[in-house]
Structure formats: structure tokens, C-alpha cells
Amino acid sequence: MKTTTLNMIAYSMAAAAAMAGSALSAQTASSPAAGSSSGGAPKAAAGAPAYFWNEIFGKKKPASKFHLYKNGENPVVQELNASLRVQYQAGWADGHVGNYPGSRNWTSEFRRFRAGWNAKLFKDFKVQNVWNVGGVQSRGSWDSASGSWRNTSQTSSSLYEAFVEYNHRQKGYTVAFGKTNPAVYAENRISSSSLWTPDFSISEQTVLFESAWGVWAANDTKKDKLGYYAGVWSTSSDGGRQTWGTWESCFTTLELSYGLDGLLLGKGRFYVDWVHNCADDSAVRRGDYYAGNTWKDVFAAYYIGRSGPFELSVEGMAALDAQEASGGAGRMLAFTAIPAWMLTDRFQLVARFQCAHGENAVNVGKMRYAGRLQKSGTVDGVRYASVGRASDYWAVGAGVNFYVYPEDHARLKVMTMLEYANSGVSAKYRASNAGFTGWQLIAGVYMNF
């Protein structure tokens, strides 16, 4: 599988290179000024490494895209851009409940490593192709007991995004097809490069799914006060599958939003999301891993706003009728509030309060480090459960973010979050779930272009 995946990456990069060559040829034929400051390929020939460094890091306000080619007058290819997202972070967890003797309580990792390209074609079309590189975010996991990787076939690269999008410039609507991360829920809808916290809240972690194949449509909420976003999606229980050939995990997303500028904060929008699972309960789980939506219905209502240096995200969520892959929980109710304040043009203070309730419903095992550092095991003849799921959960945390580029926070930043969590497990499930009560610290460096 690793060879096949690498070949697919090579083919996608070759396609991008061929597109760049075609674009340059078209530009040369149509304009004698090709490669000049008015258009054409960026001036990288004199010193490519220096040019790349300057474009990515060497400007006070870096361009929002890293252009390999840009020319608005070319009728076929207007832009060809490279993208890279690297996140390296460390985590520490200290649990009063949820640790046992010998548990490892710290680790570091490449959280994300994604590379790809995107292009603007025929004025109104966008093509995007992004890969998870080198096993980061793969299904493979390290077994400390045996000193080896589990599911080694899943540690190679995997396809994250591959879609074609049509944008109507005048009417402001979008129709697209392919694989992407559906833009739902308050934190998940924001690119990971733009989050204020190093990790999602526990409620979103519990209900989230992987990037999915689908068809979706939306309008431009920068132009329209009333917004919509709707899609039909399918993920696969086979993590190695890079193409779409099944509806084994079909689900739908529907979102309505309304602009509330000046009502609560200077800029703001209120959203209501509904995610519905169309798959039969018997079909959603195959083997020990499931990539899709594991709740029959999830409803989320949230507000995201900004006024001067203050930003706020508030979300309420109800997840109903969990499928087999969610442990058979009946429902989960949750609330999350994240206020943030820019102390200077580079330093930001962030706080988060979250709570969730539902019999065996809150997937505390999804806490990035508290949930991963302790697995089930036997110590001195005593059997200890993994963190697993809880019935009650609340957490309070705070952190400081440093943005290297005040004009582009996502380009390069340092993020921290120290959080205290408390969870309760009902007597019925304590044999297999320990929950987690204690401290978790995450700190990392994040780069995106």
C-alpha cells in the first residue's frame, strides 16, 4: 500500500507541474510580458531557495497563498499555488483519576504534516489536492509493550483533500465535488491553522469524523446576511481506501447562518448545524475502526464574533442516538465557550470552559494526551481500564498564543493551553472506562501556507 500511495502523491505532483508548464506556455503565447512583474511565473530562477524563503517568511505581511504561478490574464490557469501545514507539539498529562503506576504522562509529535497544491482555473474553478504526509494522522499506533507499530500498513501517507469547486463570482455561490473536511461545528469549521486553541473541545472530538467524499453547495456569507451550507457525504471504514466507490457510511450536513454584525459584537454570525447519519447501525462498524459519523443526529447552535481585540465562540450541542461505534450511548448534551483577547499585535490570551453530559457518551479518550497516554493494562496484578468514555465532563483551561506575523496569524505561531478536566464514569461502565480527572498541558509550533 505504501508504494501505491507514494505513486498517487507523485502523480498528483506531476499533474501540478504539468499544469504549471501549460500555464507558462499559454502565458508566453498570449503575452510578451510573461514572467514580468505584471504576471507569469514568480521570479524564482535567480535563486529559488531565497525566493521561497522570502515568499513564505521574509515579508511583514506574507501573501495569503504561496504562488508558483499567477497571472489573471491567462484564460486557462490564473493561479497555481503550493501549500504546506506542519504542526509540532508536545503534551503532558497528570491525572488524579485515569492514571495508573507506570503510565507515560508526556510525549511530543508531529501533529499534522500536510502538503499539496491548488489551482484557480477558467476564472471560476478551483482544484485542490492535499495529502497527510509520512504517516502523521495515520491509523498506525505505537505499542509500547511490544516496541512495535500496530497497523503498519496504515502508517504511510493518506489523501486528505481532492476536490473541484465552482465559484460563481457575481451571484456568490459555490458547488463542489470531491474529498474534504465538511465545514460544520464552531471549531471544526475553522481551519486548524486558524484555531485559538491547540485542540478541539471534547464535545466536538466526540462527534467529529474524518475528511469525507461528497457533493456540497454554499453561498458567500461575506456577501449574504443569510447563509447556507449543505452536503451529502460518505466516508469509509477502510482507512487505506483513497478513492470513493461506496456509500457505506452516508451522512448529510445542513447549515443555516445569519449575520449579526453590531448586535452582540462588532462582527458576528449565528449558526445552526444538523448532521444526519443515513447508514444502518449494523453497517457502520467493521473491524476496530470507523471513520464516519457515529451518531444518528447531531445538532449544534453557535455564535462566533469579534469586536476590536476581543473574540468569542460559544456553542451548544446535542448528539442523539449513538450508533454501535459510539459505544451505544443514548445522547450527549454539551456546551463550550472560548473567549480570546489580543494583548498586543502578537500576543493573545485564550480561555475555554466546556462541559458535557450523557451516559457513556463523552469520549474522554479523544483528549489529545490525557486520552492517549494511558491504555488498559495490568500492574502488580491489578487490572486498570483505559481512559475511555465518561458520563459527565467539565474542563477549564487558559493559554497564551504568540503570532510571529501580526498580519497573518496562521503563517507561523506558538500556542499553549493548560487545562484542568474532571470526568465521572457511571458504575455500569467502570470496568472498561477510567475517565480522566487532572491536568493536561499542550504546547506547540504551527506553520501554514
Side-chain angles (χ1 to χ4, degrees), residues 152-421:
T152 54
S153 64
Q154 299 296 329
T155 58
S156 61
S157 302
S158 60
L159 180 63
Y160 179 70
E161 285 187 318
F163 64 81
V164 178
E165 182 179 272
Y166 172 74
N167 299 286
H168 195 293
R169 286 171 292 166
Q170 284 74 37
K171 296 185 178 180
Y173 64 80
T174 295
V175 179
F177 165 82
K179 187 176 188 182
T180 192
N181 181 31
V184 291
Y185 309 140
E187 296 165 80
N188 177 68
R189 69 174 299 104
I190 303 172
S191 168
S192 59
S193 63
S194 301
L195 284 173
W196 309 334
T197 60
D199 211 358
F200 291 140
S201 62
I202 198 65
S203 57
E204 291 203 11
Q205 297 259 36
T206 298
V207 301
L208 278 180
F209 33 78
E210 296 194 355
S211 60
W213 293 93
V215 182
W216 65 98
N219 67 333
D220 187 349
T221 54
K222 294 181 180 179
K223 296 180 179 180
D224 300 330
K225 201 162 190 177
L226 178 63
Y228 67 86
Y229 176 86
V232 180
W233 311 89
S234 177
T235 51
S236 169
S237 58
D238 179 1
R241 188 178 301 161
Q242 308 292 357
T243 58
W244 188 20
T246 177
W247 284 97
E248 66 187 38
S249 171
C250 176
F251 64 96
T252 60
T253 60
L254 176 63
E255 175 184 280
L256 296 177
S257 66
Y258 193 76
L260 296 177
D261 291 356
L263 182 59
L264 298 177
L265 297 175
K267 294 285 186 180
R269 181 168 284 270
F270 178 73
Y271 302 81
V272 176
D273 293 349
W274 173 31
V275 179
H276 175 70
N277 192 342
C278 304
D280 292 335
D281 184 65
S282 60
V284 300
R285 186 176 177 91
R286 299 180 183 179
D288 62 354
Y289 191 88
Y290 179 66
N293 176 31
T294 58
W295 297 78
K296 195 66 175 178
D297 292 286
V298 179
F299 298 92
Y302 50 96
Y303 171 83
I304 302 174
R306 170 183 295 180
S307 188
F310 179 69
E311 297 179 86
L312 177 66
S313 172
V314 180
E315 179 178 44
M317 178 180 290
L320 309 176
D321 299 326
Q323 305 289 68
E324 179 187 351
S326 278
R331 67 177 183 178
M332 180 186 71
L333 302 177
F335 173 80
T336 303
I338 308 174
W341 186 276
M342 291 299 301
L343 300 172
T344 71
D345 61 350
R346 284 187 167 89
F347 284 95
Q348 181 184 44
L349 180 64
V350 180
R352 179 169 67 187
F353 170 76
Q354 51 178 323
C355 60
H357 171 77
E359 182 77 358
N360 201 41
V362 188
N363 197 346
V364 185
K366 289 288 187 75
M367 291 180 68
R368 186 67 191 178
Y369 298 107
R372 295 171 62 192
L373 296 177
Q374 175 183 314
K375 305 298 181 183
S376 59
T378 301
V379 179
D380 297 332
V382 178
R383 177 70 179 175
Y384 291 89
S386 62
V387 172
R389 294 177 175 272
S391 298
D392 294 285
Y393 178 92
W394 63 263
V396 178
V400 177
N401 300 329
F402 174 72
Y403 301 106
V404 176
Y405 296 92
E407 303 292 338
D408 184 2
H409 288 181
R411 182 57 54 99
L412 185 61
K413 62 183 177 179
V414 178
M415 303 181 72
T416 64
M417 170 70 69
L418 176 63
E419 194 167 46
Y420 182 83

Side-chain angles (χ1 to χ4, degrees), residues 109-125:
E109 62 177 341
F110 277 101
R111 172 68 184 276
R112 290 184 176 88
F113 198 146
R114 293 175 182 159
W117 59 273
N118 59 81
K120 183 179 179 181
L121 309 174
F122 304 105
K123 307 292 185 180
D124 294 318
F125 286 87

Side-chain angles (χ1 to χ4, degrees), residues 100 135 138-156 288 372 374-377:
Y100 60 82
S138 70
R139 310 276 158 59
S141 59
W142 179 256
D143 185 350
S144 58
S146 64
S148 62
W149 283 89
R150 301 187 188 97
N151 302 324
T152 54
S153 64
Q154 299 296 329
T155 58
S156 61
D288 62 354
R372 295 171 62 192
Q374 175 183 314
K375 305 298 181 183
S376 59

